[in-house]
Amino acid sequence: MTVHDTSATALGVLDGLLRHTTVDGIPTLFAPRPGEITAGLAFRVGHADETLPTAGITHLVEHLALYHLGLSDLHYNGATASTYTLFHVTGDETEVVPYLNSVCAALHDLPMDRLETEKEILRTEAGSRGQGPMSQMPLWRYGAQSYGLSSFDELGTRGLTADQVRHWAGTRFTRDNAVLFFTADRVPDGLDLTLPAGSRFPTPAPTSALPVTPAYLRGEDGHLVFTSVVRRSTAAAVFAEVLGRALFQDLRQKGGYSYSAEADYSSRDADFATLTAYADALPQKQDAAVGGFVDAFARLRAGRIEQAELDSARGKLLKRYDVPDLGAALLPSYALSLLTGHRILTPEQHRDELRAVGIDDLREVAREAWDGGLLQVPARGAEWAGLTPAPRFSPSGVSGTLHPSLEDDDVTLIIGETGVTLSTPGGLVTVRYDACAAMTTRPDGARCLTGLDGFGITVEPTLFGDVTAERIAVLDKAVPAAAIVPLPARAAEEIPQPREGTASDARKQAEGRKRSEERKPAAGRVTGHFVLVTALATLWPVLLVTLVVNGVRGSEPMGLAAIAGFVLEFLLIRAARNLYRTGQPTTPP
């Protein structure tokens, strides 16, 4: 272990509250607390740093790094968040030191023989988590990239290679991209935290899938969710407390619309935070809950905030400093601030800011939050509240080959040279190849394309007409190789088929009849009988005209013969026609 005493400028203001140094090149914070030691090693890398095809790679590194600890009784764990990964442990010095040494040794040389097994474990873990009412909000705000990736499956557990995982660990889990902390009065002896050199990665730049805010979308029944992005500030943290209390009072205590009504403030990156509000409601009270929520927010935006509401919220935040061993309690917060580049305040500086927050400050935060808000409503729309529907369709489509749905006559798939479009009665959904976040592939020809904006199209050859191998090859060639994620083969019963009783059934039956008729030989066409009768029908008028021209018109018997001749010509023509059509000289009954 190499320990260098340093005095980081950002941490200088905390002298007297905690101490700081470096351990094997890793900035380290420590402050004493009685009892067992809690230690944390945090890296500035998380879900938001990934791409959709590599989603889960950070989580996978975390699992591999902890594998060697096996069935230890030690209280330890790892956690992967949007912008950081944390390895933490609680125990005495003889337990904490081996844990940290083991993690760093594994990060330097990951057990790749466990790669496929850990992938399977992560897929199982994801399947057991389920989807909560807030799970799709990041997708609608950010799309299928950056902070929106938390709404998607970890596709990287399907196709990541050992080289990709090693490279990610070697570039992101470095000593220059880490912070270490201990709840102790000194750095424990025996540490060997050798990690490769690297650089500190800034938090990811946010993306946007919302052209206009405030916006709303339709969600599940029984749940009302609001999210917004606000500048990180003490006033914004206080506002979240005020909002939570207002919703609880209006929606639960006064209206009786909700059981749960709450708000939360959490940091997103160095400069911005996510404000989240949630309320539940019975189906018959959903409209009232939405109205109550909008009214509560409108009151705060207008600055109609009681001083008691502000004092109560401020008091709750001030209590976080009324704890013993304050320096040790604040270590995780300071470590993450140092890791992400957020400003570091002493407890006294933060107290002063809390005391300075006024009602005007809360009003400004309320307006900022509403202006950037996204509201998920369980019932009808929210245009009446001044919100714009979040985009459910793409602004344009592509030109290409048309493939009608075999389930819905009003739906058509278009496979073009620049992208894929699904034309529906409501509008167009388009994924362009140059903006394709990921495309999963199946051996049976199925392709699922997801655009960077979060829109997705599933191409199932069994559900659209004429989606041949050649058309699928167009997709495979056009989508960038880095965006392609192969999936395993499906069982035959898992491959979707057109539903029975759909509008396509009549079309398919008609097409079947048409193909059957096309295969049936055309009876009577150009047969010997047809040639003979046609010849007679052609020659007989010549003979008849000759008789008439030779002057026999004045003879009554010849007149009757002429009439009979015309009748015979009619019968010959009719017989020739029927022979051509049916193979019979007369029309079958």
Side-chain angles (χ1 to χ4, degrees):
M1 175 182 65
T2 305
V3 177
H4 301 283
D5 287 325
T6 64
S7 180
T9 303
L11 297 173
V13 296
L14 301 178
D15 289 345
L17 180 68
L18 54 80
R19 296 175 62 188
H20 48 90
T21 185
T22 62
V23 177
D24 292 333
I26 302 172
T28 303
L29 315 179
F30 58 100
R33 184 175 66 190
E36 293 184 315
I37 297 172
T38 293
L41 178 61
F43 294 89
R44 221 306 296 140
V45 59
H47 300 306
D49 296 279
E50 303 164 350
T51 63
L52 188 52
T54 64
I57 189 171
T58 309
H59 198 183
L60 186 56
V61 170
E62 176 219 312
H63 270 232
L64 290 169
L66 293 176
Y67 167 68
H68 285 304
L69 292 164
L71 299 176
S72 171
D73 293 330
L74 187 63
H75 181 66
Y76 72 92
N77 210 337
T80 303
S82 288
T83 57
Y84 67 88
T85 300
L86 175 66
F87 299 94
H88 58 92
V89 60
T90 297
D92 60 32
E93 189 168 318
T94 62
E95 295 171 318
V96 169
V97 170
Y99 169 84
L100 294 172
N101 290 351
S102 174
V103 168
C104 290
L107 288 173
H108 196 268
D109 185 17
L110 292 172
M112 287 303 174
D113 57 315
R114 290 283 303 176
L115 182 61
E116 296 306 318
T117 301
E118 294 300 332
K119 286 181 182 179
E120 187 70 26
I121 291 173
L122 289 184
R123 292 196 293 269
T124 303
E125 179 183 338
S128 64
R129 278 197 299 265
Q131 297 288 327
M134 303 183 191
S135 62
Q136 298 303 301
M137 298 298 278
L139 180 160
W140 285 87
R141 180 174 292 276
Y142 300 107
Q145 52 186 329
S146 70
Y147 301 94
L149 292 177
S150 60
S151 294
F152 290 85
D153 292 337
E154 294 179 333
L155 283 182
T157 61
R158 298 291 185 177
L160 285 170
T161 66
D163 286 342
Q164 287 176 297
V165 177
R166 286 194 190 96
H167 181 265
W168 192 255
T171 56
R172 304 289 178 147
F173 290 84
T174 66
R175 62 174 180 259
D176 298 296
N177 202 36
V179 172
L180 175 67
F181 64 85
F182 295 97
T183 59
D185 58 359
R186 63 179 180 82
V187 175
D189 295 328
L191 288 170
D192 181 6
L193 309 183
T194 303
L195 289 171
S199 58
R200 176 65 54 81
F201 283 86
T203 50
T207 53
S208 178
L210 287 176
V212 177
T213 57
Y216 80 91
L217 62 103
R218 287 290 304 275
E220 298 178 2
D221 280 350
H223 303 285
L224 170 68
V225 182
F226 176 86
T227 65
S228 188
V229 176
V230 296
R231 288 165 293 179
R232 288 183 69 172
S233 67
T234 301
V238 175
F239 173 77
E241 291 292 331
V242 171
L243 176 61
R245 291 168 182 268
L247 294 177
F248 185 84
Q249 182 179 19
D250 291 0
L251 300 185
R252 176 170 173 169
Q253 293 184 323
K254 290 183 178 180
Y257 311 135
S258 303
Y259 174 77
S260 297
E262 56 198 22
D264 177 70
Y265 170 91
S266 60
S267 61
R268 187 192 71 182
D269 52 37
D271 300 313
F272 291 90
T274 300
L275 177 71
T276 304
Y278 169 80
D280 57 8
L282 292 173
Q284 62 269 29
K285 294 187 176 182
Q286 289 178 162
D287 286 343
V290 173
F293 177 89
V294 172
D295 289 345
F297 222 114
R299 175 174 71 84
L300 301 181
R301 288 160 55 207
R304 296 197 302 272
I305 304 170
E306 300 292 336
Q307 185 64 41
E309 294 179 281
L310 170 56
D311 293 341
S312 179
R314 178 164 44 210
K316 180 179 178 179
L317 294 177
L318 283 169
K319 284 182 179 179
R320 69 178 298 199
Y321 295 113
D322 296 335
V323 296
D325 309 308
L326 181 60
L330 295 176
L331 279 175
S333 174
Y334 284 135
L336 292 179
S337 292
L338 182 62
L339 197 64
T340 60
H342 183 57
R343 63 180 186 143
I344 292 177
L345 298 176
T346 66
E348 192 54 45
Q349 288 172 326
H350 193 215
R351 288 191 189 99
D352 289 342
E353 288 197 357
L354 283 169
R355 297 186 185 105
V357 172
I359 291 175
D360 287 344
D361 300 313
L362 298 184
R363 183 184 67 239
E364 292 306 313
V365 175
R367 292 175 177 176
E368 178 188 11
W370 182 261
D371 289 345
L374 176 62
L375 179 65
Q376 178 179 292
V377 295
R380 51 186 170 78
E383 290 95 341
W384 58 270
L387 281 72
T388 301
R392 297 175 51 242
F393 299 100
S394 303
S396 61
V398 302
S399 59
T401 56
L402 306 182
H403 306 273
S405 168
L406 301 180
E407 294 187 311
D408 189 337
D409 290 335
D410 295 326
V411 174
T412 301
L413 175 71
I414 305 168
I415 300 177
E417 297 300 319
T418 59
V420 179
T421 291
L422 189 67
S423 175
T424 73
L428 304 176
V429 176
T430 298
V431 178
R432 299 186 182 274
Y433 303 134
D434 59 1
C436 182
M439 181 179 76
T440 61
T441 66
R442 295 279 190 182
D444 55 53
R447 301 292 185 265
C448 183
L449 298 91
T450 303
L452 292 173
D453 56 9
F455 286 118
I457 297 176
T458 299
V459 179
E460 290 281 4
T462 54
L463 299 184
F464 294 93
D466 299 323
V467 180
T468 61
E470 290 75 15
R471 300 314 298 160
I472 293 298
V474 172
L475 306 180
D476 295 344
K477 181 179 179 180
V479 173
I484 297 177
V485 180
L487 299 181
R490 297 179 288 186
E493 59 270 18
E494 294 177 350
I495 299 175
Q497 301 296 329
R499 298 187 303 272
E500 294 183 1
T502 62
S504 66
D505 290 346
R507 184 197 310 127
K508 288 186 289 183
Q509 292 172 4
E511 290 174 350
R513 288 194 299 269
K514 180 180 178 182
R515 288 192 293 269
S516 177
E517 291 169 358
E518 289 172 349
R519 290 192 297 268
K520 182 179 179 180
R525 293 185 180 181
V526 198
T527 63
H529 289 92
F530 169 75
V531 172
L532 176 61
V533 173
T534 301
L536 290 174
T538 303
L539 294 173
W540 177 244
V542 176
L543 294 174
L544 186 61
V545 170
T546 301
L547 290 173
V548 173
V549 171
N550 285 337
V552 297
R553 293 172 295 177
S555 173
E556 183 176 345
M558 289 305 296
L560 293 174
I563 294 173
F566 284 114
V567 172
L568 178 60
E569 175 64 13
F570 170 77
L571 293 174
L572 288 171
I573 292 173
R574 184 177 180 183
R577 184 194 65 179
N578 288 333
L579 282 168
Y580 182 79
R581 289 182 173 181
T582 69
Q584 301 295 326
T586 58
T587 304

